[in-house]
Amino acid sequence: MAHQGDRRQVVDVPHHLRVSIRTRTHDRPSTATARWTRRAVGVLAFAALFEALGRAGLVDIGFLPPTSVILWRAGELLVDPAFRAHAATSMLAWAIGLGAAALIAVPLGLLLGSVRLIDAATRAIVEFLRPIPSVALIPLVALVIGTGLQLRVTLVIYASLWPILYNTMYGLRGVDPVAKESLRSYGFRAPAVLWWVSLPSAAPFIMTGFRLATGVALILTVSTEIVAGRGEGIGVFIYFAGIAVPARMDDIMAGVVWVGLFGVVVNALLVAAERRLFAWQHARLGAHAGAPVAVGAGR
Amino acid sequence: MLEIENLTHIYGGGGPNEHHAIDGLDLKVADGELLCIVGPSGCGKSTLLRSIAGLISPTGGQVKVDDVLVKQTPDNLAVVFQDYSRSLFPWMSVADNVALPLRRKGFDRRKRRAAAQEALESVGLAEAGRKYPFQLSGGMQQRVAIARALAYRPTLMLMDEPFGSVDAQTREDLEDLVLEVRRLHQMTIVLITHDIDESVYVGDRVVVLSKAPAHVVGDLNVALPGPRDQITTREHPDFVHLRAEVGRLVRGHTVAH
Ligand SMILES: Nc1ncnc2c1ncn2[C@@H]1O[C@H](COP(=O)(O)OP(=O)(O)OP(=O)(O)O)[C@@H](O)[C@H]1O
Ligand SMILES: [Mg+2]
């Protein structure tokens, strides 16, 4: 399998794998409470530092608002109907793009990962397209299809396709050939083996790819909105806050806080889902050294 | 009827790791027969079994099951793999592992479950159905793999060192279980083992393979009186004589009379 890892970037490890590694390297696994305490302390320290920096008067308070001001503004925005409409539009584009990307990338990954001929025939195209930063495509695509919802969705689909596609293909390569043979020996043909063995076996990797894609999709949604600079969306909100005179730094930061929070929550939910769904993988890898590593297309 | 004619298999032909695993092997197994195959480690036993199951296409010769040339896996076949733990699906419960192949038989859910539970009981794992394979010991996993094959009620069952990881007592129980199953359900069984005593105790016939590349060097009929019994059969003079003969063949000596 090593030769397949050519020029591919290791971006993330499925969360359940990280857990198994941690429990093996430390004698005493940290409890959930201790972990959460440490995280909270880190966040609070950062918030305090930022607050102090803003209050110190080193820079204009309008240019670098302290934490309390940003959070207050974020709270205000939560009940502001205009901001909520922006947020809803962004989430819609994010969700549609992500869903469509998964619907395209998983079957495509299964096809490329299981039919060697198709994989070989498309490899050159894939390797050419993959390193192009999706953000660089925004102006080009905007010229072709306009700047509405379709622009965001198109770019979100394009960008989130890669992590899902790559992890699906990577997961398929790791399927145990003996497991496949054992089903083949009962007369199951290739599609049935794919469904009953390859797909569930690759599922933890597909899920990791999807989790990486949620972040990529968020980046693309907001950047596309900022570049497009019209219509509705959190990016549009941030864009207008930026070109206002004087610039509304508190609005920009509050918008960013909401985007970041959304990303963190989605990630945490998916990590929890991975742990629940793929406990079998976690338990198995706890007993074996050399945990496989998921690949993602980082942007 | 299983017929193997002039079977030859070379792995990685032409490459630097070329390995001649099987060389001109001929073998016929009658319906309902329980054939044991013994041979030195690495001689090509698993390769032979995979050729019979249609999992690899041999580079030469042919395999026929009921007069049909094996190109894909023949119908009504079950295999117990040597790598039993890798052949189980870690994401499924033990019961689901055993029940899955029964989809091929068109059984509905209830029928699949009942058959799986019955097979698990027969290998002494009545309580393990809801567990996952990784929660079981190696020996228990091996019995799950056996249960999966038994539940399928194949007409031809291929078993590759099926009792390697279980304790001596369980091993004897499983040997008797295989004899019982064969008697009740009329199936042909090809059982690979490295245990010479086991081959004579379980088999109607023992075939001894040479060192790689494998071919048949000995073919012995096991005619032991009465039903097999772990104690009395093993002390019978014919048993003692046969196991000595098989032992000599495995070690490459000619049979002494
Ligand atoms: N896929 C493969 N590619 C190349 N060589 C192989 C492959 N599978 C098996 N071999 C080689 O073929 C030979 C026979 O292998 P096989 O597994 O059939 O032996 P075996 O008799 O079952 O051994 P054991 O008693 O240890 O199970 C071995 O030397 C092995 O290294
Ligand atoms: Mg073997």
mmCIF file with all atom_site columns, all heavy atoms in Angstrom, chain B residues 11-12 17 19-21 39-48 50 82 160-161 192 194 212, ligand 1:
data_model
loop_
_atom_site.group_PDB
_atom_site.id
_atom_site.type_symbol
_atom_site.label_atom_id
_atom_site.label_alt_id
_atom_site.label_comp_id
_atom_site.label_asym_id
_atom_site.label_entity_id
_atom_site.label_seq_id
_atom_site.pdbx_PDB_ins_code
_atom_site.Cartn_x
_atom_site.Cartn_y
_atom_site.Cartn_z
_atom_site.occupancy
_atom_site.B_iso_or_equiv
_atom_site.pdbx_formal_charge
_atom_site.auth_seq_id
_atom_site.auth_comp_id
_atom_site.auth_asym_id
_atom_site.auth_atom_id
_atom_site.pdbx_PDB_model_num
ATOM   1   N N   . TYR B 1 11  ? 2.971  -18.904 -8.589  1.00 0.00 ? 11  TYR B N   1
ATOM   2   C CA  . TYR B 1 11  ? 2.715  -17.511 -8.182  1.00 0.00 ? 11  TYR B CA  1
ATOM   3   C C   . TYR B 1 11  ? 3.732  -16.596 -8.844  1.00 0.00 ? 11  TYR B C   1
ATOM   4   O O   . TYR B 1 11  ? 4.904  -16.943 -8.953  1.00 0.00 ? 11  TYR B O   1
ATOM   5   C CB  . TYR B 1 11  ? 2.854  -17.360 -6.668  1.00 0.00 ? 11  TYR B CB  1
ATOM   6   C CG  . TYR B 1 11  ? 1.677  -17.882 -5.872  1.00 0.00 ? 11  TYR B CG  1
ATOM   7   C CD1 . TYR B 1 11  ? 1.814  -18.996 -5.056  1.00 0.00 ? 11  TYR B CD1 1
ATOM   8   C CD2 . TYR B 1 11  ? 0.447  -17.248 -5.909  1.00 0.00 ? 11  TYR B CD2 1
ATOM   9   C CE1 . TYR B 1 11  ? 0.754  -19.465 -4.296  1.00 0.00 ? 11  TYR B CE1 1
ATOM   10  C CE2 . TYR B 1 11  ? -0.626 -17.701 -5.157  1.00 0.00 ? 11  TYR B CE2 1
ATOM   11  C CZ  . TYR B 1 11  ? -0.465 -18.806 -4.346  1.00 0.00 ? 11  TYR B CZ  1
ATOM   12  O OH  . TYR B 1 11  ? -1.516 -19.262 -3.614  1.00 0.00 ? 11  TYR B OH  1
ATOM   13  N N   . GLY B 1 12  ? 3.284  -15.418 -9.256  1.00 0.00 ? 12  GLY B N   1
ATOM   14  C CA  . GLY B 1 12  ? 4.186  -14.385 -9.785  1.00 0.00 ? 12  GLY B CA  1
ATOM   15  C C   . GLY B 1 12  ? 5.031  -14.874 -10.944 1.00 0.00 ? 12  GLY B C   1
ATOM   16  O O   . GLY B 1 12  ? 6.236  -14.644 -10.974 1.00 0.00 ? 12  GLY B O   1
ATOM   17  N N   . ASN B 1 17  ? 9.893  -12.989 -7.800  1.00 0.00 ? 17  ASN B N   1
ATOM   18  C CA  . ASN B 1 17  ? 9.417  -13.782 -6.671  1.00 0.00 ? 17  ASN B CA  1
ATOM   19  C C   . ASN B 1 17  ? 8.628  -15.002 -7.127  1.00 0.00 ? 17  ASN B C   1
ATOM   20  O O   . ASN B 1 17  ? 7.751  -15.494 -6.429  1.00 0.00 ? 17  ASN B O   1
ATOM   21  C CB  . ASN B 1 17  ? 8.539  -12.926 -5.759  1.00 0.00 ? 17  ASN B CB  1
ATOM   22  C CG  . ASN B 1 17  ? 9.333  -11.821 -5.090  1.00 0.00 ? 17  ASN B CG  1
ATOM   23  O OD1 . ASN B 1 17  ? 10.479 -12.037 -4.688  1.00 0.00 ? 17  ASN B OD1 1
ATOM   24  N ND2 . ASN B 1 17  ? 8.749  -10.642 -4.998  1.00 0.00 ? 17  ASN B ND2 1
ATOM   25  N N   . HIS B 1 19  ? 7.096  -18.382 -7.611  1.00 0.00 ? 19  HIS B N   1
ATOM   26  C CA  . HIS B 1 19  ? 7.097  -19.527 -6.709  1.00 0.00 ? 19  HIS B CA  1
ATOM   27  C C   . HIS B 1 19  ? 6.205  -20.624 -7.265  1.00 0.00 ? 19  HIS B C   1
ATOM   28  O O   . HIS B 1 19  ? 5.026  -20.418 -7.540  1.00 0.00 ? 19  HIS B O   1
ATOM   29  C CB  . HIS B 1 19  ? 6.611  -19.121 -5.324  1.00 0.00 ? 19  HIS B CB  1
ATOM   30  C CG  . HIS B 1 19  ? 6.604  -20.259 -4.358  1.00 0.00 ? 19  HIS B CG  1
ATOM   31  N ND1 . HIS B 1 19  ? 7.738  -20.644 -3.659  1.00 0.00 ? 19  HIS B ND1 1
ATOM   32  C CD2 . HIS B 1 19  ? 5.629  -21.117 -4.006  1.00 0.00 ? 19  HIS B CD2 1
ATOM   33  C CE1 . HIS B 1 19  ? 7.436  -21.680 -2.902  1.00 0.00 ? 19  HIS B CE1 1
ATOM   34  N NE2 . HIS B 1 19  ? 6.172  -21.993 -3.079  1.00 0.00 ? 19  HIS B NE2 1
ATOM   35  N N   . HIS B 1 20  ? 6.794  -21.795 -7.420  1.00 0.00 ? 20  HIS B N   1
ATOM   36  C CA  . HIS B 1 20  ? 6.063  -22.944 -7.945  1.00 0.00 ? 20  HIS B CA  1
ATOM   37  C C   . HIS B 1 20  ? 5.388  -23.641 -6.768  1.00 0.00 ? 20  HIS B C   1
ATOM   38  O O   . HIS B 1 20  ? 6.051  -24.305 -5.981  1.00 0.00 ? 20  HIS B O   1
ATOM   39  C CB  . HIS B 1 20  ? 7.052  -23.877 -8.646  1.00 0.00 ? 20  HIS B CB  1
ATOM   40  C CG  . HIS B 1 20  ? 6.390  -24.798 -9.609  1.00 0.00 ? 20  HIS B CG  1
ATOM   41  N ND1 . HIS B 1 20  ? 7.069  -25.415 -10.629 1.00 0.00 ? 20  HIS B ND1 1
ATOM   42  C CD2 . HIS B 1 20  ? 5.113  -25.205 -9.721  1.00 0.00 ? 20  HIS B CD2 1
ATOM   43  C CE1 . HIS B 1 20  ? 6.220  -26.165 -11.320 1.00 0.00 ? 20  HIS B CE1 1
ATOM   44  N NE2 . HIS B 1 20  ? 5.040  -26.043 -10.787 1.00 0.00 ? 20  HIS B NE2 1
ATOM   45  N N   . ALA B 1 21  ? 4.077  -23.428 -6.610  1.00 0.00 ? 21  ALA B N   1
ATOM   46  C CA  . ALA B 1 21  ? 3.397  -23.926 -5.412  1.00 0.00 ? 21  ALA B CA  1
ATOM   47  C C   . ALA B 1 21  ? 2.839  -25.332 -5.592  1.00 0.00 ? 21  ALA B C   1
ATOM   48  O O   . ALA B 1 21  ? 2.933  -26.167 -4.691  1.00 0.00 ? 21  ALA B O   1
ATOM   49  C CB  . ALA B 1 21  ? 2.276  -22.960 -5.021  1.00 0.00 ? 21  ALA B CB  1
ATOM   50  N N   . GLY B 1 39  ? 0.497  -32.251 4.818   1.00 0.00 ? 39  GLY B N   1
ATOM   51  C CA  . GLY B 1 39  ? 1.691  -31.940 4.038   1.00 0.00 ? 39  GLY B CA  1
ATOM   52  C C   . GLY B 1 39  ? 2.522  -30.954 4.803   1.00 0.00 ? 39  GLY B C   1
ATOM   53  O O   . GLY B 1 39  ? 2.017  -30.274 5.699   1.00 0.00 ? 39  GLY B O   1
ATOM   54  N N   . PRO B 1 40  ? 3.789  -30.861 4.451   1.00 0.00 ? 40  PRO B N   1
ATOM   55  C CA  . PRO B 1 40  ? 4.675  -29.953 5.173   1.00 0.00 ? 40  PRO B CA  1
ATOM   56  C C   . PRO B 1 40  ? 4.216  -28.496 5.062   1.00 0.00 ? 40  PRO B C   1
ATOM   57  O O   . PRO B 1 40  ? 3.540  -28.128 4.104   1.00 0.00 ? 40  PRO B O   1
ATOM   58  C CB  . PRO B 1 40  ? 6.041  -30.136 4.504   1.00 0.00 ? 40  PRO B CB  1
ATOM   59  C CG  . PRO B 1 40  ? 5.888  -31.198 3.492   1.00 0.00 ? 40  PRO B CG  1
ATOM   60  C CD  . PRO B 1 40  ? 4.457  -31.559 3.348   1.00 0.00 ? 40  PRO B CD  1
ATOM   61  N N   . SER B 1 41  ? 4.610  -27.705 6.023   1.00 0.00 ? 41  SER B N   1
ATOM   62  C CA  . SER B 1 41  ? 4.233  -26.290 6.036   1.00 0.00 ? 41  SER B CA  1
ATOM   63  C C   . SER B 1 41  ? 4.753  -25.584 4.779   1.00 0.00 ? 41  SER B C   1
ATOM   64  O O   . SER B 1 41  ? 5.884  -25.796 4.367   1.00 0.00 ? 41  SER B O   1
ATOM   65  C CB  . SER B 1 41  ? 4.801  -25.625 7.291   1.00 0.00 ? 41  SER B CB  1
ATOM   66  O OG  . SER B 1 41  ? 4.431  -24.279 7.310   1.00 0.00 ? 41  SER B OG  1
ATOM   67  N N   . GLY B 1 42  ? 3.884  -24.778 4.168   1.00 0.00 ? 42  GLY B N   1
ATOM   68  C CA  . GLY B 1 42  ? 4.277  -24.016 2.989   1.00 0.00 ? 42  GLY B CA  1
ATOM   69  C C   . GLY B 1 42  ? 4.311  -24.822 1.710   1.00 0.00 ? 42  GLY B C   1
ATOM   70  O O   . GLY B 1 42  ? 4.800  -24.334 0.695   1.00 0.00 ? 42  GLY B O   1
ATOM   71  N N   . CYS B 1 43  ? 3.763  -26.047 1.736   1.00 0.00 ? 43  CYS B N   1
ATOM   72  C CA  . CYS B 1 43  ? 3.882  -26.883 0.534   1.00 0.00 ? 43  CYS B CA  1
ATOM   73  C C   . CYS B 1 43  ? 2.848  -26.515 -0.523  1.00 0.00 ? 43  CYS B C   1
ATOM   74  O O   . CYS B 1 43  ? 2.987  -26.882 -1.685  1.00 0.00 ? 43  CYS B O   1
ATOM   75  C CB  . CYS B 1 43  ? 3.764  -28.360 0.893   1.00 0.00 ? 43  CYS B CB  1
ATOM   76  S SG  . CYS B 1 43  ? 2.097  -28.913 1.243   1.00 0.00 ? 43  CYS B SG  1
ATOM   77  N N   . GLY B 1 44  ? 1.813  -25.790 -0.144  1.00 0.00 ? 44  GLY B N   1
ATOM   78  C CA  . GLY B 1 44  ? 0.815  -25.404 -1.145  1.00 0.00 ? 44  GLY B CA  1
ATOM   79  C C   . GLY B 1 44  ? -0.589 -25.897 -0.837  1.00 0.00 ? 44  GLY B C   1
ATOM   80  O O   . GLY B 1 44  ? -1.444 -25.927 -1.725  1.00 0.00 ? 44  GLY B O   1
ATOM   81  N N   . LYS B 1 45  ? -0.845 -26.252 0.403   1.00 0.00 ? 45  LYS B N   1
ATOM   82  C CA  . LYS B 1 45  ? -2.170 -26.780 0.764   1.00 0.00 ? 45  LYS B CA  1
ATOM   83  C C   . LYS B 1 45  ? -3.248 -25.712 0.619   1.00 0.00 ? 45  LYS B C   1
ATOM   84  O O   . LYS B 1 45  ? -4.298 -25.970 0.023   1.00 0.00 ? 45  LYS B O   1
ATOM   85  C CB  . LYS B 1 45  ? -2.153 -27.295 2.222   1.00 0.00 ? 45  LYS B CB  1
ATOM   86  C CG  . LYS B 1 45  ? -1.127 -28.391 2.467   1.00 0.00 ? 45  LYS B CG  1
ATOM   87  C CD  . LYS B 1 45  ? -1.183 -28.896 3.900   1.00 0.00 ? 45  LYS B CD  1
ATOM   88  C CE  . LYS B 1 45  ? -0.764 -27.867 4.933   1.00 0.00 ? 45  LYS B CE  1
ATOM   89  N NZ  . LYS B 1 45  ? 0.646  -27.485 4.880   1.00 0.00 ? 45  LYS B NZ  1
ATOM   90  N N   . SER B 1 46  ? -2.960 -24.531 1.143   1.00 0.00 ? 46  SER B N   1
ATOM   91  C CA  . SER B 1 46  ? -3.973 -23.460 1.044   1.00 0.00 ? 46  SER B CA  1
ATOM   92  C C   . SER B 1 46  ? -4.177 -23.053 -0.416  1.00 0.00 ? 46  SER B C   1
ATOM   93  O O   . SER B 1 46  ? -5.295 -22.713 -0.817  1.00 0.00 ? 46  SER B O   1
ATOM   94  C CB  . SER B 1 46  ? -3.551 -22.241 1.862   1.00 0.00 ? 46  SER B CB  1
ATOM   95  O OG  . SER B 1 46  ? -3.461 -22.585 3.227   1.00 0.00 ? 46  SER B OG  1
ATOM   96  N N   . THR B 1 47  ? -3.112 -23.109 -1.188  1.00 0.00 ? 47  THR B N   1
ATOM   97  C CA  . THR B 1 47  ? -3.218 -22.793 -2.610  1.00 0.00 ? 47  THR B CA  1
ATOM   98  C C   . THR B 1 47  ? -4.142 -23.785 -3.310  1.00 0.00 ? 47  THR B C   1
ATOM   99  O O   . THR B 1 47  ? -4.994 -23.396 -4.122  1.00 0.00 ? 47  THR B O   1
ATOM   100 C CB  . THR B 1 47  ? -1.825 -22.817 -3.260  1.00 0.00 ? 47  THR B CB  1
ATOM   101 O OG1 . THR B 1 47  ? -0.960 -21.952 -2.526  1.00 0.00 ? 47  THR B OG1 1
ATOM   102 C CG2 . THR B 1 47  ? -1.879 -22.384 -4.705  1.00 0.00 ? 47  THR B CG2 1
ATOM   103 N N   . LEU B 1 48  ? -4.002 -25.066 -2.959  1.00 0.00 ? 48  LEU B N   1
ATOM   104 C CA  . LEU B 1 48  ? -4.864 -26.101 -3.520  1.00 0.00 ? 48  LEU B CA  1
ATOM   105 C C   . LEU B 1 48  ? -6.321 -25.796 -3.181  1.00 0.00 ? 48  LEU B C   1
ATOM   106 O O   . LEU B 1 48  ? -7.205 -25.832 -4.046  1.00 0.00 ? 48  LEU B O   1
ATOM   107 C CB  . LEU B 1 48  ? -4.434 -27.470 -2.957  1.00 0.00 ? 48  LEU B CB  1
ATOM   108 C CG  . LEU B 1 48  ? -5.377 -28.642 -3.196  1.00 0.00 ? 48  LEU B CG  1
ATOM   109 C CD1 . LEU B 1 48  ? -5.536 -28.924 -4.676  1.00 0.00 ? 48  LEU B CD1 1
ATOM   110 C CD2 . LEU B 1 48  ? -4.869 -29.894 -2.473  1.00 0.00 ? 48  LEU B CD2 1
ATOM   111 N N   . ARG B 1 50  ? -7.711 -22.953 -2.376  1.00 0.00 ? 50  ARG B N   1
ATOM   112 C CA  . ARG B 1 50  ? -8.226 -21.774 -3.062  1.00 0.00 ? 50  ARG B CA  1
ATOM   113 C C   . ARG B 1 50  ? -8.518 -22.062 -4.530  1.00 0.00 ? 50  ARG B C   1
ATOM   114 O O   . ARG B 1 50  ? -9.410 -21.427 -5.121  1.00 0.00 ? 50  ARG B O   1
ATOM   115 C CB  . ARG B 1 50  ? -7.231 -20.623 -2.945  1.00 0.00 ? 50  ARG B CB  1
ATOM   116 C CG  . ARG B 1 50  ? -7.072 -20.144 -1.522  1.00 0.00 ? 50  ARG B CG  1
ATOM   117 C CD  . ARG B 1 50  ? -5.687 -19.567 -1.359  1.00 0.00 ? 50  ARG B CD  1
ATOM   118 N NE  . ARG B 1 50  ? -5.689 -18.149 -1.680  1.00 0.00 ? 50  ARG B NE  1
ATOM   119 C CZ  . ARG B 1 50  ? -6.022 -17.243 -0.786  1.00 0.00 ? 50  ARG B CZ  1
ATOM   120 N NH1 . ARG B 1 50  ? -6.344 -17.613 0.431   1.00 0.00 ? 50  ARG B NH1 1
ATOM   121 N NH2 . ARG B 1 50  ? -6.007 -15.994 -1.106  1.00 0.00 ? 50  ARG B NH2 1
ATOM   122 N N   . GLN B 1 82  ? -7.919 -20.520 6.833   1.00 0.00 ? 82  GLN B N   1
ATOM   123 C CA  . GLN B 1 82  ? -6.842 -20.634 7.816   1.00 0.00 ? 82  GLN B CA  1
ATOM   124 C C   . GLN B 1 82  ? -6.737 -19.333 8.633   1.00 0.00 ? 82  GLN B C   1
ATOM   125 O O   . GLN B 1 82  ? -6.575 -19.371 9.844   1.00 0.00 ? 82  GLN B O   1
ATOM   126 C CB  . GLN B 1 82  ? -5.532 -20.913 7.082   1.00 0.00 ? 82  GLN B CB  1
ATOM   127 C CG  . GLN B 1 82  ? -4.378 -21.289 7.983   1.00 0.00 ? 82  GLN B CG  1
ATOM   128 C CD  . GLN B 1 82  ? -3.171 -21.768 7.181   1.00 0.00 ? 82  GLN B CD  1
ATOM   129 O OE1 . GLN B 1 82  ? -3.142 -21.656 5.950   1.00 0.00 ? 82  GLN B OE1 1
ATOM   130 N NE2 . GLN B 1 82  ? -2.193 -22.300 7.862   1.00 0.00 ? 82  GLN B NE2 1
ATOM   131 N N   . ASP B 1 160 ? -9.515 -25.301 6.187   1.00 0.00 ? 160 ASP B N   1
ATOM   132 C CA  . ASP B 1 160 ? -8.065 -25.136 6.164   1.00 0.00 ? 160 ASP B CA  1
ATOM   133 C C   . ASP B 1 160 ? -7.545 -25.002 7.594   1.00 0.00 ? 160 ASP B C   1
ATOM   134 O O   . ASP B 1 160 ? -7.680 -23.947 8.210   1.00 0.00 ? 160 ASP B O   1
ATOM   135 C CB  . ASP B 1 160 ? -7.720 -23.884 5.344   1.00 0.00 ? 160 ASP B CB  1
ATOM   136 C CG  . ASP B 1 160 ? -6.261 -23.866 4.912   1.00 0.00 ? 160 ASP B CG  1
ATOM   137 O OD1 . ASP B 1 160 ? -5.481 -24.699 5.418   1.00 0.00 ? 160 ASP B OD1 1
ATOM   138 O OD2 . ASP B 1 160 ? -5.918 -23.009 4.074   1.00 0.00 ? 160 ASP B OD2 1
ATOM   139 N N   . GLU B 1 161 ? -6.990 -26.064 8.107   1.00 0.00 ? 161 GLU B N   1
ATOM   140 C CA  . GLU B 1 161 ? -6.512 -26.112 9.502   1.00 0.00 ? 161 GLU B CA  1
ATOM   141 C C   . GLU B 1 161 ? -7.525 -25.479 10.447  1.00 0.00 ? 161 GLU B C   1
ATOM   142 O O   . GLU B 1 161 ? -7.231 -24.502 11.146  1.00 0.00 ? 161 GLU B O   1
ATOM   143 C CB  . GLU B 1 161 ? -5.139 -25.435 9.617   1.00 0.00 ? 161 GLU B CB  1
ATOM   144 C CG  . GLU B 1 161 ? -4.142 -26.124 8.703   1.00 0.00 ? 161 GLU B CG  1
ATOM   145 C CD  . GLU B 1 161 ? -2.687 -25.729 8.977   1.00 0.00 ? 161 GLU B CD  1
ATOM   146 O OE1 . GLU B 1 161 ? -2.414 -25.106 10.019  1.00 0.00 ? 161 GLU B OE1 1
ATOM   147 O OE2 . GLU B 1 161 ? -1.841 -26.075 8.144   1.00 0.00 ? 161 GLU B OE2 1
ATOM   148 N N   . ILE B 1 192 ? -7.883 -29.764 5.652   1.00 0.00 ? 192 ILE B N   1
ATOM   149 C CA  . ILE B 1 192 ? -6.427 -29.658 5.684   1.00 0.00 ? 192 ILE B CA  1
ATOM   150 C C   . ILE B 1 192 ? -5.978 -29.596 7.131   1.00 0.00 ? 192 ILE B C   1
ATOM   151 O O   . ILE B 1 192 ? -6.577 -28.893 7.944   1.00 0.00 ? 192 ILE B O   1
ATOM   152 C CB  . ILE B 1 192 ? -5.969 -28.396 4.933   1.00 0.00 ? 192 ILE B CB  1
ATOM   153 C CG1 . ILE B 1 192 ? -6.247 -28.548 3.447   1.00 0.00 ? 192 ILE B CG1 1
ATOM   154 C CG2 . ILE B 1 192 ? -4.491 -28.125 5.185   1.00 0.00 ? 192 ILE B CG2 1
ATOM   155 C CD1 . ILE B 1 192 ? -6.049 -27.290 2.649   1.00 0.00 ? 192 ILE B CD1 1
ATOM   156 N N   . HIS B 1 194 ? -2.290 -30.174 9.863   1.00 0.00 ? 194 HIS B N   1
ATOM   157 C CA  . HIS B 1 194 ? -0.892 -30.590 9.989   1.00 0.00 ? 194 HIS B CA  1
ATOM   158 C C   . HIS B 1 194 ? -0.751 -31.625 11.101  1.00 0.00 ? 194 HIS B C   1
ATOM   159 O O   . HIS B 1 194 ? 0.337  -32.058 11.423  1.00 0.00 ? 194 HIS B O   1
ATOM   160 C CB  . HIS B 1 194 ? 0.011  -29.373 10.235  1.00 0.00 ? 194 HIS B CB  1
ATOM   161 C CG  . HIS B 1 194 ? -0.391 -28.580 11.428  1.00 0.00 ? 194 HIS B CG  1
ATOM   162 N ND1 . HIS B 1 194 ? -0.956 -27.345 11.323  1.00 0.00 ? 194 HIS B ND1 1
ATOM   163 C CD2 . HIS B 1 194 ? -0.339 -28.866 12.744  1.00 0.00 ? 194 HIS B CD2 1
ATOM   164 C CE1 . HIS B 1 194 ? -1.244 -26.884 12.535  1.00 0.00 ? 194 HIS B CE1 1
ATOM   165 N NE2 . HIS B 1 194 ? -0.882 -27.791 13.408  1.00 0.00 ? 194 HIS B NE2 1
ATOM   166 N N   . ALA B 1 212 ? 6.985  -28.340 -1.407  1.00 0.00 ? 212 ALA B N   1
ATOM   167 C CA  . ALA B 1 212 ? 6.695  -27.525 -2.585  1.00 0.00 ? 212 ALA B CA  1
ATOM   168 C C   . ALA B 1 212 ? 7.679  -27.855 -3.720  1.00 0.00 ? 212 ALA B C   1
ATOM   169 O O   . ALA B 1 212 ? 8.850  -28.061 -3.454  1.00 0.00 ? 212 ALA B O   1
ATOM   170 C CB  . ALA B 1 212 ? 6.799  -26.041 -2.226  1.00 0.00 ? 212 ALA B CB  1
HETATM 171 N N1  . LIG C 2 .   ? -0.354 -14.708 -3.206  1.00 0.00 ? 1   LIG C N1  1
HETATM 172 C C1  . LIG C 2 .   ? 0.840  -15.291 -3.200  1.00 0.00 ? 1   LIG C C1  1
HETATM 173 N N2  . LIG C 2 .   ? 1.847  -14.789 -3.942  1.00 0.00 ? 1   LIG C N2  1
HETATM 174 C C2  . LIG C 2 .   ? 3.057  -15.385 -3.967  1.00 0.00 ? 1   LIG C C2  1
HETATM 175 N N3  . LIG C 2 .   ? 3.366  -16.490 -3.280  1.00 0.00 ? 1   LIG C N3  1
HETATM 176 C C3  . LIG C 2 .   ? 2.412  -17.044 -2.532  1.00 0.00 ? 1   LIG C C3  1
HETATM 177 C C4  . LIG C 2 .   ? 1.103  -16.473 -2.441  1.00 0.00 ? 1   LIG C C4  1
HETATM 178 N N4  . LIG C 2 .   ? 0.371  -17.237 -1.611  1.00 0.00 ? 1   LIG C N4  1
HETATM 179 C C5  . LIG C 2 .   ? 1.181  -18.225 -1.201  1.00 0.00 ? 1   LIG C C5  1
HETATM 180 N N5  . LIG C 2 .   ? 2.405  -18.116 -1.747  1.00 0.00 ? 1   LIG C N5  1
HETATM 181 C C6  . LIG C 2 .   ? 3.536  -19.030 -1.554  1.00 0.00 ? 1   LIG C C6  1
HETATM 182 O O1  . LIG C 2 .   ? 3.147  -20.307 -1.979  1.00 0.00 ? 1   LIG C O1  1
HETATM 183 C C7  . LIG C 2 .   ? 3.607  -21.291 -1.087  1.00 0.00 ? 1   LIG C C7  1
HETATM 184 C C8  . LIG C 2 .   ? 2.472  -22.161 -0.645  1.00 0.00 ? 1   LIG C C8  1
HETATM 185 O O2  . LIG C 2 .   ? 1.581  -21.376 0.127   1.00 0.00 ? 1   LIG C O2  1
HETATM 186 P P1  . LIG C 2 .   ? 0.321  -22.038 0.843   1.00 0.00 ? 1   LIG C P1  1
HETATM 187 O O3  . LIG C 2 .   ? -0.306 -20.978 1.659   1.00 0.00 ? 1   LIG C O3  1
HETATM 188 O O4  . LIG C 2 .   ? -0.506 -22.711 -0.174  1.00 0.00 ? 1   LIG C O4  1
HETATM 189 O O5  . LIG C 2 .   ? 1.039  -23.116 1.781   1.00 0.00 ? 1   LIG C O5  1
HETATM 190 P P2  . LIG C 2 .   ? 0.388  -24.044 2.901   1.00 0.00 ? 1   LIG C P2  1
HETATM 191 O O6  . LIG C 2 .   ? 0.723  -25.431 2.559   1.00 0.00 ? 1   LIG C O6  1
HETATM 192 O O7  . LIG C 2 .   ? -1.019 -23.726 3.099   1.00 0.00 ? 1   LIG C O7  1
HETATM 193 O O8  . LIG C 2 .   ? 1.235  -23.592 4.170   1.00 0.00 ? 1   LIG C O8  1
HETATM 194 P P3  . LIG C 2 .   ? 0.829  -23.658 5.716   1.00 0.00 ? 1   LIG C P3  1
HETATM 195 O O9  . LIG C 2 .   ? 0.920  -25.085 6.145   1.00 0.00 ? 1   LIG C O9  1
HETATM 196 O O10 . LIG C 2 .   ? 1.877  -22.833 6.382   1.00 0.00 ? 1   LIG C O10 1
HETATM 197 O O11 . LIG C 2 .   ? -0.526 -23.093 5.814   1.00 0.00 ? 1   LIG C O11 1
HETATM 198 C C9  . LIG C 2 .   ? 4.311  -20.571 0.044   1.00 0.00 ? 1   LIG C C9  1
HETATM 199 O O12 . LIG C 2 .   ? 5.710  -20.662 -0.169  1.00 0.00 ? 1   LIG C O12 1
HETATM 200 C C10 . LIG C 2 .   ? 3.870  -19.158 -0.087  1.00 0.00 ? 1   LIG C C10 1
HETATM 201 O O13 . LIG C 2 .   ? 4.900  -18.276 0.265   1.00 0.00 ? 1   LIG C O13 1
#
